[in-house]
Amino acid sequence: MRRFTPAERWIHRTTAALLGACVVSAACLYVPALAELVGRRVLVVTVHEWTGILTPVPALLGLVSRAFRADLGRLNRFGPHDRRWLRAALRRDHSRTERPAGKFNAGQKVYAAWTAGAVLVMAATGSLMWFTGLAPLMWRTSATFVHDWLALAVGIVVIGHIGKAIADPEARRGMRTGRVDPRWAAREHPLWRPEEDDKHHD
C-alpha cells in the first residue's frame, strides 16, 4: 500500500542529507580530535553555514505538493489517541492496544515538531553569528550559547531517530520506496485510513 509520494520522499532525503552534513560539520568544528583529523577549518565552516541555511528549503519547496501539505496537517494535529500513545510510551508500555496511531504516531509528531522548531532556531541564531552586523555583541553571545547547546541536542535526537529507523525495516522501506506492507500498517498504525490519502496523491 502507498504511504509516501515521490515528492515526500525527495523532501525527506534532501532534508536528511543537509541536516546530516550540518551536524557532521558541526562536530568537526567543536570536537578537537575531529577538527585535527579533518583540518581545512575554513571549508568546514562554509559547509556548515550553507547546509544550515539550506536545511529548511526542501520543506518550503515541498509545500507545492498536496500530499506533503496533507501530511503536515496530520503531523500538526494531536487527538486523544496521541495523548494515550504518549502516556503509554512514558510507562514503557509497548502493547499495541495502548499505542493507537493514525498515519503518524504521537512520537513521530513530537519529533517532527521539535525538529522543525530546532531548525528554525538554529538558522536564526546561526545567522546572528554569521552576519555579525545584524545584532549587538550581547545578542550574538546569547545566540552562540543557544546555538551550541541546541546543536548538541539536535545531534542526540537525530541519532535517536536513526536508531528508531534501523529498528523498523518496514518503516524504512516506506520512506525508500513509498510503499509498505498492509499488515504492518494495520499493526503499527491501526487508525490510518489509506483510502483518504488517495485524494492527496501528486
Side-chain angles (χ1 to χ4, degrees):
M1 68 194 316
R2 188 168 184 173
R3 183 164 172 81
F4 296 115
T5 65
E8 291 177 293
R9 302 201 311 274
W10 175 87
I11 293 165
H12 183 269
R13 290 169 184 169
T14 310
T15 302
L18 288 168
L19 186 58
C22 192
V23 169
V24 170
S25 59
C28 292
L29 291 172
Y30 286 98
V31 179
L34 288 176
E36 292 178 9
L37 179 65
V38 175
R40 307 193 67 177
R41 184 176 178 85
V42 173
L43 175 61
V44 175
V45 168
T46 301
V47 169
H48 181 71
E49 290 171 341
W50 281 105
T51 53
I53 292 295
L54 293 174
T55 294
V57 172
L60 293 175
L61 294 177
L63 291 175
V64 301
S65 164
R66 288 189 301 164
F68 181 62
R69 294 197 305 272
D71 276 350
L72 286 181
R74 293 185 182 92
L75 287 167
N76 198 40
R77 287 195 296 270
F78 262 72
H81 63 281
D82 294 307
R83 291 188 284 275
R84 181 177 173 185
W85 192 101
L86 288 173
R87 286 195 295 269
L90 291 173
R91 296 195 309 268
R92 298 184 181 278
D93 184 346
H94 295 281
S95 60
R96 296 191 185 100
T97 57
E98 291 301 311
R99 292 199 179 193
K103 186 173 184 179
F104 303 103
N105 64 45
Q108 292 167 328
K109 292 179 179 182
V110 170
Y111 172 80
W114 189 91
T115 301
V119 166
L120 292 176
V121 172
M122 292 292 284
T125 54
S127 296
L128 290 177
M129 296 162 61
W130 189 4
F131 302 104
T132 55
L134 288 178
L137 177 61
M138 182 179 295
W139 287 22
R140 297 200 306 274
T141 302
S142 300
T144 301
F145 177 83
V146 172
H147 194 86
D148 290 353
W149 283 102
L150 187 55
L152 177 61
V154 168
I156 293 171
V157 170
V158 167
I159 291 171
H161 179 65
I162 293 172
K164 286 288 186 182
I166 291 173
D168 194 340
E170 192 63 27
R172 290 202 315 275
R173 186 174 80 158
M175 189 53 70
R176 188 178 68 253
T177 68
R179 296 186 176 275
V180 293
D181 189 320
R183 291 169 297 181
W184 174 88
R187 183 178 70 249
E188 300 294 334
H189 300 270
L191 304 181
W192 177 29
R193 299 294 177 262
E195 61 273 9
E196 296 177 2
D197 291 349
D198 292 338
K199 304 173 185 177
H200 304 290
H201 284 170
D202 290 347

